[in-house]
């Protein structure tokens, strides 16, 4: 009958996990704020929680345990994820952080890493010409005047491109962090 006990513990753990799914998902985002990683963290937390089902004390509140397990798995996966990011995009994210920090919509609870990851993904979505100007100005720290001289574009055009890029990046990052969000002008 040991298998019955194990099966019953796994069923109970599975139900408790489902009852606390929102907590696990939120904790996953806090530990590793990347939309690409959240589902993987939740899945790995579930598998670990079920694997250890017989060891949990179900008379105690299960939420602190789920938070701790999810945080540990999320932090490990986030460290692995950050090791794979190209250094250039980390620098772009740091120099363009002003775009994000000006926003009154960003919650204090959203980690810097989630903003960087979202910004990183959003930069890749920019049209090629816009991305070139953004990377040249922010990554390579080339003044707009010098970019104008090199490309033959007017200062006005370049400032419009940068303004438009900042707005697109802001909207894209907000969508990545919070879902459907539109820029009201």
């Amino acid at each position: 009958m040991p298998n019955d006990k194990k099966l019953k513990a796994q069923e109970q753990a599975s139900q408790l996990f489902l009852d606390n799914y929102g907590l696990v998902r939120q904790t996953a985002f806090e530990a590793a704020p990347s939309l690409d990683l959240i589902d993987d963290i939740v899945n790995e937390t579930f598998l670990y929680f079920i694997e250890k089902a017989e060891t949990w004390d179900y008379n105690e509140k299960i939420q602190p345990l789920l938070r701790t397990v999810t945080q540990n798995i999320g932090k490990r996966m986030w460290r692995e994820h950050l090791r794979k990011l190209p250094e250039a995009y980390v620098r772009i994210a740091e120099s363009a952080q002003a775009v994000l920090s000006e926003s009154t919509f960003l919650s204090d609870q959203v980690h810097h890493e989630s903003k960087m990851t979202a910004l990183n993904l959003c930069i890749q979505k920019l049209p090629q010409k816009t991305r070139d100007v953004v990377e040249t100005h922010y990554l390579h720290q080339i003044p707009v005047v010098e970019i104008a001289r090199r490309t033959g574009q007017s200062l006005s055009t370049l400032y419009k491109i940068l303004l438009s890029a900042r707005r697109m990046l802001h909207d894209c990052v907000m969508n990545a962090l919070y879902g459907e969000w539109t820029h009201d002008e």
Side-chain angles (χ1 to χ4, degrees):
M1 294 290 190
N3 284 339
D4 288 342
K5 184 179 177 185
K6 183 176 183 175
L7 184 60
K8 184 176 180 176
Q10 288 179 339
E11 286 175 4
Q12 188 173 11
S14 182
Q15 186 58 49
L16 285 169
F17 184 89
L18 290 174
D19 292 344
N20 291 283
Y21 179 79
L23 170 78
V24 172
R25 193 162 176 79
Q26 177 63 35
T27 305
F29 181 74
E30 291 169 1
S34 169
L35 299 177
D36 296 339
L37 293 177
I38 292 175
D39 289 333
D40 292 338
I41 295 166
V42 170
N43 290 338
E44 199 163 320
T45 300
F46 176 75
L47 292 173
Y48 180 83
F49 195 66
I50 296 301
E51 178 184 320
K52 303 285 185 181
E54 292 179 281
T55 63
W56 310 133
D57 180 3
Y58 297 110
N59 294 321
E60 297 292 321
K61 285 193 172 190
I62 208 72
Q63 290 86 358
L65 174 64
L66 276 171
R67 280 189 69 79
T68 301
V69 169
T70 306
Q71 286 171 343
N72 290 338
I73 290 170
K75 287 176 184 176
R76 178 181 48 81
M77 292 179 81
W78 181 243
R79 281 192 305 271
E80 292 169 4
H81 177 74
L82 285 179
R83 284 188 206 122
K84 297 175 187 174
L85 283 179
E87 188 178 323
Y89 290 113
V90 172
R91 284 195 302 251
I92 289 173
E94 289 170 350
S95 21
Q97 183 183 4
V99 172
L100 297 175
S101 63
E102 291 172 4
S103 173
T104 58
F105 297 105
L106 289 176
S107 167
D108 292 337
Q109 298 170 344
V110 177
H111 298 307
H112 174 72
E113 291 88 1
S114 66
K115 296 176 199 173
M116 286 178 37
T117 300
L119 181 59
N120 206 1
L121 295 170
C122 292
I123 287 171
Q124 292 302 308
K125 293 179 181 179
L126 288 173
Q128 185 64 46
K129 290 180 181 181
T130 302
R131 187 169 63 235
D132 290 343
V133 173
V134 168
E135 289 176 346
T136 303
H137 182 64
Y138 290 110
L139 175 64
H140 303 293
Q141 298 178 348
I142 306 295
V144 177
V145 173
E146 180 61 24
I147 298 171
R149 188 188 65 73
R150 290 180 185 179
T151 64
Q153 293 177 298
S154 71
L155 285 174
S156 174
T157 298
L158 289 172
Y159 280 117
K160 287 177 185 176
I161 290 171
L162 288 171
L163 176 63
S164 173
R166 284 192 299 268
R167 286 182 176 159
M168 285 188 283
L169 289 171
H170 178 268
D171 289 351
C172 181
V173 167
M174 294 301 289
N175 282 330
L177 295 174
Y178 300 108
E180 290 299 319
W181 186 87
T182 55
H183 182 72
D184 296 326
E185 295 195 301

